[in-house]
Amino acid sequence: MKCAITAVATALLLSGGSAFTVPQTTTISRSSPCSPTHTADAAPQTTARLSPLFMGRAAAVRAATKGKTDAKKAKVNAYYGKKIIMAVKSGGSPDPSANRQLGELIKAAKQNSVPVDNINRAIKRATEKDAGDFSEATFEAYGYGGASLIVNVLSDNPNRSNADVKSAIGKNGGKLAESGSVLFMYDLRGKIEIPSVVDEEDLLMAAIDNDVDDMELVDGDEEDTSVVYTDPKETGAMFEAVKSIGLEEGAKMSLTHISKAPVECSEEDFEKNMGIIDALEELDDVDSVEHNMSN
C-alpha cells in the first residue's frame, strides 16, 4: 500500500503539476525502497521541476531585495550630495584643498562608493546662485511596543520636511516625541561597515598603531561581514586602521546612534514599526532612521 502511494505521488510530480500546487523538489533515487529488487540498470535520477508560481515568487523576492539595495544607495548618494553643497557654501570655496570640510566630505563620499560624477555635480551645483541652503534636523518619535525612533533629516525646505515627517509618523500610528526625550537613550558612535570577516587581533594592533583607544568589533547583519564601532572623533583614524590591513575596499564609514537599552517587540509591533520606518525612508528629505528594536 505504501509503495502504491509513493508511485502515485511520483507520477503526479513528474507530470508537471498545476502552478498552484505546493512547490517542492523531489528526487527519485536509483533504487526505490519499495522495489523488490535492486539492479545497476535502474532508471537515472530525476528531479521534479519547480512550479512557475514558486519561480515567480523567487524573482519577486530578488527584485524587492535589489530595489531596497538601490534605494539605500540612492539615499547615500543624495546625502553626500547635499552635504557637499553645504560644505562648499559654508566654506566659501569649491576647492577641497582650500576647504578642509569639503575635502573631508569628498573623502568620506568616495569611501561610501559615491560616484565621482555625483561629487562633481554637487560641487558645481553649490556654486550656482539658485542652490538651496540645506540644514540638518533630528526628529524623535515613539513606535509600537516600546520602540523609539531617531529620524535624521537634511533639507533645503524645513517647513516641508517638518510637515512630511510628522505626517508619515502620525498616519502610521507613531507619536512624535519632545526633543531630547529619545536621544538620551542612545550613544552616538562611529561606525565602519566591512564586507568581509575581520581578524580581531590584526584589527586591534592596527587600531593601536593609529592611536585609536575605543574599538568594538561585531558581526554584520549579512553573512561574512563585520562592523566596527568607535568613538565618533576616532572614526577617521579607525578607518585608516582598516585600510592598513587591506580591508578598505567596499568599507563604509558613518556616524550612528546605538541604543543603550534595546527592546524586543512582538512580531506584530515589529511589522507596524517597520511600516513607520518605510514611510519615513521614502521621504526625500529623510537621510536615515535609527531605532532601538533588537529583533
Side-chain angles (χ1 to χ4, degrees):
M1 182 65 178
K2 182 177 179 182
C3 294
I5 294 173
T6 303
V8 171
T10 301
L12 286 173
L13 283 167
L14 294 178
S15 65
S18 165
F20 297 98
T21 58
V22 178
Q24 57 181 324
T25 301
T26 302
T27 301
I28 303 173
S29 62
R30 291 180 179 272
S31 58
S32 169
C34 299
S35 301
T37 59
H38 170 65
T39 65
D41 298 326
Q45 183 172 322
T46 306
T47 303
R49 293 170 296 176
L50 292 175
S51 76
L53 181 60
F54 178 81
M55 290 187 287
R57 285 175 178 169
V61 169
R62 288 194 298 270
T65 301
K66 183 179 184 302
K68 288 182 179 180
T69 301
D70 291 345
K72 186 176 181 180
K73 184 173 179 59
K75 279 283 185 185
V76 171
N77 292 347
Y79 169 77
Y80 279 103
K82 291 184 283 187
K83 291 288 284 186
I84 287 171
I85 291 174
M86 285 179 64
V88 172
K89 298 188 77 171
S90 63
S93 172
D95 182 0
S97 61
N99 186 335
R100 183 177 178 182
Q101 183 185 9
L102 175 61
E104 290 296 322
L105 271 171
I106 291 175
K107 181 180 178 181
K110 289 180 178 179
Q111 289 168 348
N112 283 277
S113 304
V114 177
V116 174
D117 287 346
N118 289 39
I119 295 172
N120 292 335
R121 279 199 301 269
I123 294 173
K124 183 177 183 298
R125 174 62 179 159
T127 62
E128 298 173 357
K129 292 182 179 180
D130 61 341
D133 293 319
F134 288 94
S135 60
E136 294 177 296
T138 300
F139 293 85
E140 301 166 52
Y142 296 112
Y144 295 87
S148 59
L149 308 173
I150 297 176
V151 186
N152 300 302
V153 170
L154 182 56
S155 174
D156 60 350
N157 189 329
N159 291 332
R160 178 191 64 216
S161 60
N162 186 54
D164 288 348
V165 168
K166 286 182 177 178
S167 176
I169 293 172
K171 285 183 178 179
N172 289 279
K175 180 182 178 183
L176 202 64
E178 293 184 7
S179 179
S181 61
V182 168
L183 273 174
F184 84 95
M185 297 186 288
Y186 291 76
D187 287 324
L188 183 63
R189 302 284 284 162
K191 179 181 181 181
I192 299 173
E193 299 170 86
I194 305 171
S196 61
V197 176
V198 179
D199 183 282
E200 186 171 11
E201 186 174 345
D202 289 346
L203 184 62
L204 179 60
M205 295 305 297
I208 293 172
D209 291 341
N210 283 271
D211 299 321
V212 175
D213 297 323
D214 182 1
M215 186 199 89
E216 180 187 3
L217 175 65
V218 300
D219 293 334
D221 292 335
E222 297 180 10
E223 188 177 358
D224 294 332
T225 63
S226 306
V227 175
V228 184
Y229 292 107
T230 186
D231 184 285
K233 295 178 182 178
E234 296 182 340
T235 308
M238 189 69 245
F239 194 86
E240 290 301 318
V242 171
K243 288 175 63 177
S244 71
I245 56 175
L247 297 175
E248 72 274 18
E249 185 175 353
K252 297 180 180 181
M253 178 176 65
S254 63
L255 295 179
T256 187
H257 289 94
I258 304 297
S259 173
K260 298 176 184 177
V263 299
E264 184 172 355
C265 299
S266 67
E267 185 175 344
E268 181 180 356
D269 286 341
F270 177 82
E271 291 299 328
K272 290 179 179 178
N273 289 328
M274 290 309 299
I276 299 174
I277 292 172
D278 288 344
L280 287 166
E281 289 183 337
E282 287 177 0
L283 302 176
D284 291 337
D285 291 330
V286 172
D287 292 312
S288 62
V289 182
E290 298 161 312
H291 60 80
N292 66 341
M293 292 184 292
S294 62
N295 52 334

